[in-house]
Amino acid sequence: QKSQKDEQLEQLIYLRKRLITFSNAEYLQLTPKLEYTHDIICHARGVKNVNGALVTFLNRKTNGNPLFIVDALSQFEAEGLISVKGAELVLTGLEFHNRSQTNDLAVPISVESVCGMLLDSLSTTQQVALKVAAMIGKEFSCSDVRKRFPIQELKDELTGQWYLLVDTGIIEEVRDGEATTPRQKKGRMRKGDDADKRLYRFKSEWMKESLMHRMLYKQKKALASLL
């Protein structure tokens, strides 16, 4: 009898085989879906029901990233914030719908690690752009970042670097508060593209928080003076 892991592995192998047959595809991107968060939590903790406030909180913080979700659950359980009772995952130490109570929660190690690896792969211009964007607020445009960009000699590179930055998946374009469909061509502008007129946000609030943690106090103070 096959184990659950064996079945999952077979499904992944089949999916890979199907994907590589798409020879006519110009651009393929796999992204998490927020509607799967409840199922990921249930699978990770062996339950059938999950408190809705926890699902909403994790969607906002992780943007549906399975690695971040599972790591956060382990952290919350170790801290006594959640527990399994029968077939239900319940809250035991925190009201996750109350932002004032969740502001001091530590960013999971997996998020910190991924953020570190992504930053190491970016150019200096892209790294500085992210730091400026993190200080601006929830939504920002390339123009907003350029106006506050602290390194004059790199400012002219920003527009060209911006689209490459979007392709990393750290930030995403939004319209009316909702994420838009990913661009078709990586690293290139489509006809009519104008980053100065488009709004963006960090895909994951925890990614933004992790970035803020990596900034020195002097850096935060210097950027704050430009806002």
Side-chain angles (χ1 to χ4, degrees), residues 131-160:
K131 291 177 180 180
V132 175
M135 294 292 293
I136 290 176
K138 183 177 180 180
E139 296 181 355
F140 46 85
S141 67
C142 182
S143 176
D144 293 331
V145 173
R146 187 185 299 105
K147 289 175 182 176
R148 300 161 176 84
F149 204 81
I151 307 177
Q152 188 65 37
E153 54 268 31
L154 296 179
K155 188 177 291 189
D156 292 339
E157 299 179 7
L158 183 58
T159 300

PDB file of all heavy atoms in Angstrom, residues 131-160:
ATOM      1  N   LYS A 131      14.056  48.791   0.269  1.00  0.00           N
ATOM      2  CA  LYS A 131      14.117  49.448   1.574  1.00  0.00           C
ATOM      3  C   LYS A 131      13.307  50.735   1.572  1.00  0.00           C
ATOM      4  O   LYS A 131      12.593  51.041   2.543  1.00  0.00           O
ATOM      5  CB  LYS A 131      15.577  49.734   1.945  1.00  0.00           C
ATOM      6  CG  LYS A 131      16.379  48.477   2.238  1.00  0.00           C
ATOM      7  CD  LYS A 131      17.833  48.802   2.541  1.00  0.00           C
ATOM      8  CE  LYS A 131      18.621  47.531   2.833  1.00  0.00           C
ATOM      9  NZ  LYS A 131      20.051  47.817   3.124  1.00  0.00           N
ATOM     10  N   VAL A 132      13.409  51.494   0.490  1.00  0.00           N
ATOM     11  CA  VAL A 132      12.621  52.727   0.383  1.00  0.00           C
ATOM     12  C   VAL A 132      11.133  52.402   0.342  1.00  0.00           C
ATOM     13  O   VAL A 132      10.328  53.025   1.042  1.00  0.00           O
ATOM     14  CB  VAL A 132      13.030  53.519  -0.882  1.00  0.00           C
ATOM     15  CG1 VAL A 132      12.120  54.738  -1.056  1.00  0.00           C
ATOM     16  CG2 VAL A 132      14.486  53.956  -0.800  1.00  0.00           C
ATOM     17  N   ALA A 133      10.759  51.399  -0.461  1.00  0.00           N
ATOM     18  CA  ALA A 133       9.353  51.009  -0.592  1.00  0.00           C
ATOM     19  C   ALA A 133       8.773  50.557   0.741  1.00  0.00           C
ATOM     20  O   ALA A 133       7.627  50.867   1.080  1.00  0.00           O
ATOM     21  CB  ALA A 133       9.211  49.888  -1.625  1.00  0.00           C
ATOM     22  N   ALA A 134       9.575  49.841   1.532  1.00  0.00           N
ATOM     23  CA  ALA A 134       9.110  49.355   2.827  1.00  0.00           C
ATOM     24  C   ALA A 134       8.799  50.504   3.778  1.00  0.00           C
ATOM     25  O   ALA A 134       7.932  50.384   4.650  1.00  0.00           O
ATOM     26  CB  ALA A 134      10.167  48.439   3.444  1.00  0.00           C
ATOM     27  N   MET A 135       9.486  51.625   3.611  1.00  0.00           N
ATOM     28  CA  MET A 135       9.272  52.780   4.485  1.00  0.00           C
ATOM     29  C   MET A 135       8.099  53.640   4.033  1.00  0.00           C
ATOM     30  O   MET A 135       7.558  54.416   4.819  1.00  0.00           O
ATOM     31  CB  MET A 135      10.539  53.635   4.524  1.00  0.00           C
ATOM     32  CG  MET A 135      11.744  52.969   5.178  1.00  0.00           C
ATOM     33  SD  MET A 135      11.525  52.716   6.949  1.00  0.00           S
ATOM     34  CE  MET A 135      11.518  54.420   7.535  1.00  0.00           C
ATOM     35  N   ILE A 136       7.705  53.520   2.761  1.00  0.00           N
ATOM     36  CA  ILE A 136       6.647  54.389   2.228  1.00  0.00           C
ATOM     37  C   ILE A 136       5.278  54.037   2.792  1.00  0.00           C
ATOM     38  O   ILE A 136       4.514  54.894   3.212  1.00  0.00           O
ATOM     39  CB  ILE A 136       6.624  54.314   0.682  1.00  0.00           C
ATOM     40  CG1 ILE A 136       7.866  54.996   0.118  1.00  0.00           C
ATOM     41  CG2 ILE A 136       5.367  54.969   0.123  1.00  0.00           C
ATOM     42  CD1 ILE A 136       8.003  54.899  -1.389  1.00  0.00           C
ATOM     43  N   GLY A 137       4.939  52.753   2.764  1.00  0.00           N
ATOM     44  CA  GLY A 137       3.621  52.358   3.236  1.00  0.00           C
ATOM     45  C   GLY A 137       3.126  51.122   2.532  1.00  0.00           C
ATOM     46  O   GLY A 137       3.893  50.375   1.925  1.00  0.00           O
ATOM     47  N   LYS A 138       1.810  50.913   2.576  1.00  0.00           N
ATOM     48  CA  LYS A 138       1.226  49.687   2.039  1.00  0.00           C
ATOM     49  C   LYS A 138       1.371  49.593   0.523  1.00  0.00           C
ATOM     50  O   LYS A 138       1.702  48.543  -0.025  1.00  0.00           O
ATOM     51  CB  LYS A 138      -0.255  49.598   2.419  1.00  0.00           C
ATOM     52  CG  LYS A 138      -0.924  48.308   1.971  1.00  0.00           C
ATOM     53  CD  LYS A 138      -2.366  48.239   2.437  1.00  0.00           C
ATOM     54  CE  LYS A 138      -3.017  46.928   1.979  1.00  0.00           C
ATOM     55  NZ  LYS A 138      -4.427  46.829   2.426  1.00  0.00           N
ATOM     56  N   GLU A 139       1.095  50.696  -0.189  1.00  0.00           N
ATOM     57  CA  GLU A 139       1.188  50.703  -1.648  1.00  0.00           C
ATOM     58  C   GLU A 139       2.113  51.821  -2.111  1.00  0.00           C
ATOM     59  O   GLU A 139       2.225  52.858  -1.451  1.00  0.00           O
ATOM     60  CB  GLU A 139      -0.204  50.862  -2.276  1.00  0.00           C
ATOM     61  CG  GLU A 139      -1.139  49.695  -1.978  1.00  0.00           C
ATOM     62  CD  GLU A 139      -2.504  49.863  -2.627  1.00  0.00           C
ATOM     63  OE1 GLU A 139      -2.748  50.938  -3.232  1.00  0.00           O
ATOM     64  OE2 GLU A 139      -3.335  48.937  -2.535  1.00  0.00           O
ATOM     65  N   PHE A 140       2.763  51.606  -3.239  1.00  0.00           N
ATOM     66  CA  PHE A 140       3.739  52.571  -3.730  1.00  0.00           C
ATOM     67  C   PHE A 140       3.923  52.378  -5.223  1.00  0.00           C
ATOM     68  O   PHE A 140       3.593  51.326  -5.787  1.00  0.00           O
ATOM     69  CB  PHE A 140       5.084  52.368  -3.014  1.00  0.00           C
ATOM     70  CG  PHE A 140       5.493  50.921  -2.940  1.00  0.00           C
ATOM     71  CD1 PHE A 140       6.160  50.296  -3.980  1.00  0.00           C
ATOM     72  CD2 PHE A 140       5.159  50.166  -1.821  1.00  0.00           C
ATOM     73  CE1 PHE A 140       6.503  48.961  -3.922  1.00  0.00           C
ATOM     74  CE2 PHE A 140       5.507  48.815  -1.749  1.00  0.00           C
ATOM     75  CZ  PHE A 140       6.170  48.208  -2.808  1.00  0.00           C
ATOM     76  N   SER A 141       4.424  53.394  -5.886  1.00  0.00           N
ATOM     77  CA  SER A 141       4.745  53.306  -7.314  1.00  0.00           C
ATOM     78  C   SER A 141       6.252  53.434  -7.477  1.00  0.00           C
ATOM     79  O   SER A 141       6.967  53.789  -6.537  1.00  0.00           O
ATOM     80  CB  SER A 141       4.051  54.422  -8.096  1.00  0.00           C
ATOM     81  OG  SER A 141       4.587  55.682  -7.728  1.00  0.00           O
ATOM     82  N   CYS A 142       6.723  53.169  -8.679  1.00  0.00           N
ATOM     83  CA  CYS A 142       8.151  53.357  -8.965  1.00  0.00           C
ATOM     84  C   CYS A 142       8.519  54.825  -8.781  1.00  0.00           C
ATOM     85  O   CYS A 142       9.603  55.155  -8.301  1.00  0.00           O
ATOM     86  CB  CYS A 142       8.452  52.886 -10.388  1.00  0.00           C
ATOM     87  SG  CYS A 142      10.190  53.002 -10.872  1.00  0.00           S
ATOM     88  N   SER A 143       7.590  55.710  -9.143  1.00  0.00           N
ATOM     89  CA  SER A 143       7.824  57.146  -8.990  1.00  0.00           C
ATOM     90  C   SER A 143       7.983  57.527  -7.522  1.00  0.00           C
ATOM     91  O   SER A 143       8.847  58.338  -7.170  1.00  0.00           O
ATOM     92  CB  SER A 143       6.658  57.934  -9.602  1.00  0.00           C
ATOM     93  OG  SER A 143       6.811  59.319  -9.393  1.00  0.00           O
ATOM     94  N   ASP A 144       7.153  56.920  -6.646  1.00  0.00           N
ATOM     95  CA  ASP A 144       7.251  57.195  -5.211  1.00  0.00           C
ATOM     96  C   ASP A 144       8.638  56.828  -4.687  1.00  0.00           C
ATOM     97  O   ASP A 144       9.230  57.559  -3.892  1.00  0.00           O
ATOM     98  CB  ASP A 144       6.200  56.382  -4.444  1.00  0.00           C
ATOM     99  CG  ASP A 144       4.785  56.827  -4.742  1.00  0.00           C
ATOM    100  OD1 ASP A 144       4.591  58.015  -5.052  1.00  0.00           O
ATOM    101  OD2 ASP A 144       3.867  55.975  -4.662  1.00  0.00           O
ATOM    102  N   VAL A 145       9.131  55.693  -5.156  1.00  0.00           N
ATOM    103  CA  VAL A 145      10.437  55.221  -4.704  1.00  0.00           C
ATOM    104  C   VAL A 145      11.543  56.114  -5.268  1.00  0.00           C
ATOM    105  O   VAL A 145      12.492  56.475  -4.565  1.00  0.00           O
ATOM    106  CB  VAL A 145      10.659  53.751  -5.132  1.00  0.00           C
ATOM    107  CG1 VAL A 145      12.081  53.302  -4.806  1.00  0.00           C
ATOM    108  CG2 VAL A 145       9.640  52.841  -4.446  1.00  0.00           C
ATOM    109  N   ARG A 146      11.411  56.492  -6.547  1.00  0.00           N
ATOM    110  CA  ARG A 146      12.437  57.323  -7.178  1.00  0.00           C
ATOM    111  C   ARG A 146      12.577  58.676  -6.474  1.00  0.00           C
ATOM    112  O   ARG A 146      13.698  59.181  -6.294  1.00  0.00           O
ATOM    113  CB  ARG A 146      12.110  57.549  -8.655  1.00  0.00           C
ATOM    114  CG  ARG A 146      13.229  58.269  -9.415  1.00  0.00           C
ATOM    115  CD  ARG A 146      12.863  58.595 -10.846  1.00  0.00           C
ATOM    116  NE  ARG A 146      12.581  57.384 -11.618  1.00  0.00           N
ATOM    117  CZ  ARG A 146      11.346  56.998 -11.960  1.00  0.00           C
ATOM    118  NH1 ARG A 146      10.295  57.721 -11.593  1.00  0.00           N
ATOM    119  NH2 ARG A 146      11.174  55.908 -12.667  1.00  0.00           N
ATOM    120  N   LYS A 147      11.463  59.272  -6.091  1.00  0.00           N
ATOM    121  CA  LYS A 147      11.498  60.579  -5.433  1.00  0.00           C
ATOM    122  C   LYS A 147      12.279  60.532  -4.124  1.00  0.00           C
ATOM    123  O   LYS A 147      12.843  61.541  -3.688  1.00  0.00           O
ATOM    124  CB  LYS A 147      10.074  61.057  -5.165  1.00  0.00           C
ATOM    125  CG  LYS A 147       9.300  61.455  -6.405  1.00  0.00           C
ATOM    126  CD  LYS A 147       7.858  61.807  -6.047  1.00  0.00           C
ATOM    127  CE  LYS A 147       7.058  62.151  -7.289  1.00  0.00           C
ATOM    128  NZ  LYS A 147       5.621  62.414  -6.982  1.00  0.00           N
ATOM    129  N   ARG A 148      12.304  59.362  -3.498  1.00  0.00           N
ATOM    130  CA  ARG A 148      12.942  59.219  -2.190  1.00  0.00           C
ATOM    131  C   ARG A 148      14.235  58.409  -2.250  1.00  0.00           C
ATOM    132  O   ARG A 148      14.804  58.084  -1.217  1.00  0.00           O
ATOM    133  CB  ARG A 148      11.957  58.567  -1.222  1.00  0.00           C
ATOM    134  CG  ARG A 148      10.672  59.372  -1.040  1.00  0.00           C
ATOM    135  CD  ARG A 148       9.546  58.525  -0.484  1.00  0.00           C
ATOM    136  NE  ARG A 148       8.354  59.321  -0.216  1.00  0.00           N
ATOM    137  CZ  ARG A 148       7.445  59.624  -1.153  1.00  0.00           C
ATOM    138  NH1 ARG A 148       7.612  59.190  -2.395  1.00  0.00           N
ATOM    139  NH2 ARG A 148       6.383  60.341  -0.837  1.00  0.00           N
ATOM    140  N   PHE A 149      14.648  58.088  -3.465  1.00  0.00           N
ATOM    141  CA  PHE A 149      15.833  57.234  -3.636  1.00  0.00           C
ATOM    142  C   PHE A 149      17.072  57.989  -3.160  1.00  0.00           C
ATOM    143  O   PHE A 149      17.382  59.073  -3.663  1.00  0.00           O
ATOM    144  CB  PHE A 149      15.984  56.829  -5.107  1.00  0.00           C
ATOM    145  CG  PHE A 149      16.758  55.563  -5.300  1.00  0.00           C
ATOM    146  CD1 PHE A 149      16.154  54.326  -5.133  1.00  0.00           C
ATOM    147  CD2 PHE A 149      18.101  55.595  -5.648  1.00  0.00           C
ATOM    148  CE1 PHE A 149      16.863  53.151  -5.315  1.00  0.00           C
ATOM    149  CE2 PHE A 149      18.820  54.427  -5.829  1.00  0.00           C
ATOM    150  CZ  PHE A 149      18.195  53.201  -5.657  1.00  0.00           C
ATOM    151  N   PRO A 150      17.813  57.440  -2.194  1.00  0.00           N
ATOM    152  CA  PRO A 150      18.894  58.205  -1.556  1.00  0.00           C
ATOM    153  C   PRO A 150      20.219  58.226  -2.305  1.00  0.00           C
ATOM    154  O   PRO A 150      21.086  59.036  -1.985  1.00  0.00           O
ATOM    155  CB  PRO A 150      19.058  57.476  -0.210  1.00  0.00           C
ATOM    156  CG  PRO A 150      18.684  56.054  -0.518  1.00  0.00           C
ATOM    157  CD  PRO A 150      17.584  56.133  -1.543  1.00  0.00           C
ATOM    158  N   ILE A 151      20.412  57.349  -3.299  1.00  0.00           N
ATOM    159  CA  ILE A 151      21.700  57.283  -4.002  1.00  0.00           C
ATOM    160  C   ILE A 151      21.521  57.859  -5.401  1.00  0.00           C
ATOM    161  O   ILE A 151      21.004  57.207  -6.306  1.00  0.00           O
ATOM    162  CB  ILE A 151      22.221  55.837  -4.082  1.00  0.00           C
ATOM    163  CG1 ILE A 151      22.259  55.208  -2.681  1.00  0.00           C
ATOM    164  CG2 ILE A 151      23.609  55.800  -4.720  1.00  0.00           C
ATOM    165  CD1 ILE A 151      22.688  53.761  -2.656  1.00  0.00           C
ATOM    166  N   GLN A 152      21.949  59.070  -5.594  1.00  0.00           N
ATOM    167  CA  GLN A 152      21.696  59.808  -6.827  1.00  0.00           C
ATOM    168  C   GLN A 152      22.251  59.101  -8.059  1.00  0.00           C
ATOM    169  O   GLN A 152      21.604  59.037  -9.102  1.00  0.00           O
ATOM    170  CB  GLN A 152      22.305  61.211  -6.718  1.00  0.00           C
ATOM    171  CG  GLN A 152      21.943  62.143  -7.848  1.00  0.00           C
ATOM    172  CD  GLN A 152      20.454  62.463  -7.889  1.00  0.00           C
ATOM    173  OE1 GLN A 152      19.814  62.593  -6.852  1.00  0.00           O
ATOM    174  NE2 GLN A 152      19.893  62.572  -9.093  1.00  0.00           N
ATOM    175  N   GLU A 153      23.465  58.538  -7.943  1.00  0.00           N
ATOM    176  CA  GLU A 153      24.112  57.935  -9.111  1.00  0.00           C
ATOM    177  C   GLU A 153      23.421  56.645  -9.562  1.00  0.00           C
ATOM    178  O   GLU A 153      23.664  56.169 -10.684  1.00  0.00           O
ATOM    179  CB  GLU A 153      25.593  57.660  -8.835  1.00  0.00           C
ATOM    180  CG  GLU A 153      25.875  56.842  -7.604  1.00  0.00           C
ATOM    181  CD  GLU A 153      26.113  57.717  -6.374  1.00  0.00           C
ATOM    182  OE1 GLU A 153      25.520  58.815  -6.301  1.00  0.00           O
ATOM    183  OE2 GLU A 153      26.900  57.291  -5.516  1.00  0.00           O
ATOM    184  N   LEU A 154      22.558  56.070  -8.724  1.00  0.00           N
ATOM    185  CA  LEU A 154      21.833  54.852  -9.098  1.00  0.00           C
ATOM    186  C   LEU A 154      20.385  55.122  -9.496  1.00  0.00           C
ATOM    187  O   LEU A 154      19.693  54.220  -9.959  1.00  0.00           O
ATOM    188  CB  LEU A 154      21.859  53.838  -7.947  1.00  0.00           C
ATOM    189  CG  LEU A 154      23.218  53.282  -7.532  1.00  0.00           C
ATOM    190  CD1 LEU A 154      23.052  52.307  -6.369  1.00  0.00           C
ATOM    191  CD2 LEU A 154      23.901  52.597  -8.704  1.00  0.00           C
ATOM    192  N   LYS A 155      19.949  56.342  -9.320  1.00  0.00           N
ATOM    193  CA  LYS A 155      18.546  56.673  -9.546  1.00  0.00           C
ATOM    194  C   LYS A 155      18.110  56.434 -10.992  1.00  0.00           C
ATOM    195  O   LYS A 155      16.995  55.986 -11.260  1.00  0.00           O
ATOM    196  CB  LYS A 155      18.277  58.129  -9.147  1.00  0.00           C
ATOM    197  CG  LYS A 155      16.810  58.509  -9.170  1.00  0.00           C
ATOM    198  CD  LYS A 155      16.587  59.940  -8.685  1.00  0.00           C
ATOM    199  CE  LYS A 155      16.877  60.077  -7.219  1.00  0.00           C
ATOM    200  NZ  LYS A 155      16.465  61.416  -6.708  1.00  0.00           N
ATOM    201  N   ASP A 156      19.003  56.708 -11.947  1.00  0.00           N
ATOM    202  CA  ASP A 156      18.658  56.538 -13.358  1.00  0.00           C
ATOM    203  C   ASP A 156      18.452  55.069 -13.735  1.00  0.00           C
ATOM    204  O   ASP A 156      17.799  54.761 -14.740  1.00  0.00           O
ATOM    205  CB  ASP A 156      19.752  57.137 -14.256  1.00  0.00           C
ATOM    206  CG  ASP A 156      19.805  58.655 -14.146  1.00  0.00           C
ATOM    207  OD1 ASP A 156      18.789  59.241 -13.726  1.00  0.00           O
ATOM    208  OD2 ASP A 156      20.859  59.235 -14.478  1.00  0.00           O
ATOM    209  N   GLU A 157      19.015  54.165 -12.946  1.00  0.00           N
ATOM    210  CA  GLU A 157      18.871  52.738 -13.234  1.00  0.00           C
ATOM    211  C   GLU A 157      17.546  52.166 -12.737  1.00  0.00           C
ATOM    212  O   GLU A 157      17.180  51.052 -13.098  1.00  0.00           O
ATOM    213  CB  GLU A 157      20.002  51.943 -12.546  1.00  0.00           C
ATOM    214  CG  GLU A 157      21.400  52.303 -12.979  1.00  0.00           C
ATOM    215  CD  GLU A 157      22.427  51.477 -12.229  1.00  0.00           C
ATOM    216  OE1 GLU A 157      22.017  50.563 -11.485  1.00  0.00           O
ATOM    217  OE2 GLU A 157      23.630  51.749 -12.382  1.00  0.00           O
ATOM    218  N   LEU A 158      16.839  52.931 -11.913  1.00  0.00           N
ATOM    219  CA  LEU A 158      15.704  52.381 -11.175  1.00  0.00           C
ATOM    220  C   LEU A 158      14.608  51.819 -12.065  1.00  0.00           C
ATOM    221  O   LEU A 158      14.115  50.714 -11.831  1.00  0.00           O
ATOM    222  CB  LEU A 158      15.138  53.442 -10.234  1.00  0.00           C
ATOM    223  CG  LEU A 158      13.981  52.966  -9.350  1.00  0.00           C
ATOM    224  CD1 LEU A 158      14.409  51.783  -8.501  1.00  0.00           C
ATOM    225  CD2 LEU A 158      13.498  54.103  -8.457  1.00  0.00           C
ATOM    226  N   THR A 159      14.198  52.560 -13.089  1.00  0.00           N
ATOM    227  CA  THR A 159      13.087  52.097 -13.927  1.00  0.00           C
ATOM    228  C   THR A 159      13.398  50.756 -14.580  1.00  0.00           C
ATOM    229  O   THR A 159      12.574  49.837 -14.551  1.00  0.00           O
ATOM    230  CB  THR A 159      12.747  53.135 -15.009  1.00  0.00           C
ATOM    231  OG1 THR A 159      12.378  54.368 -14.383  1.00  0.00           O
ATOM    232  CG2 THR A 159      11.590  52.640 -15.862  1.00  0.00           C
ATOM    233  N   GLY A 160      14.564  50.622 -15.155  1.00  0.00           N
ATOM    234  CA  GLY A 160      14.936  49.363 -15.782  1.00  0.00           C
ATOM    235  C   GLY A 160      15.039  48.226 -14.786  1.00  0.00           C
ATOM    236  O   GLY A 160      14.669  47.085 -15.074  1.00  0.00           O
TER     237      GLY A 160
END
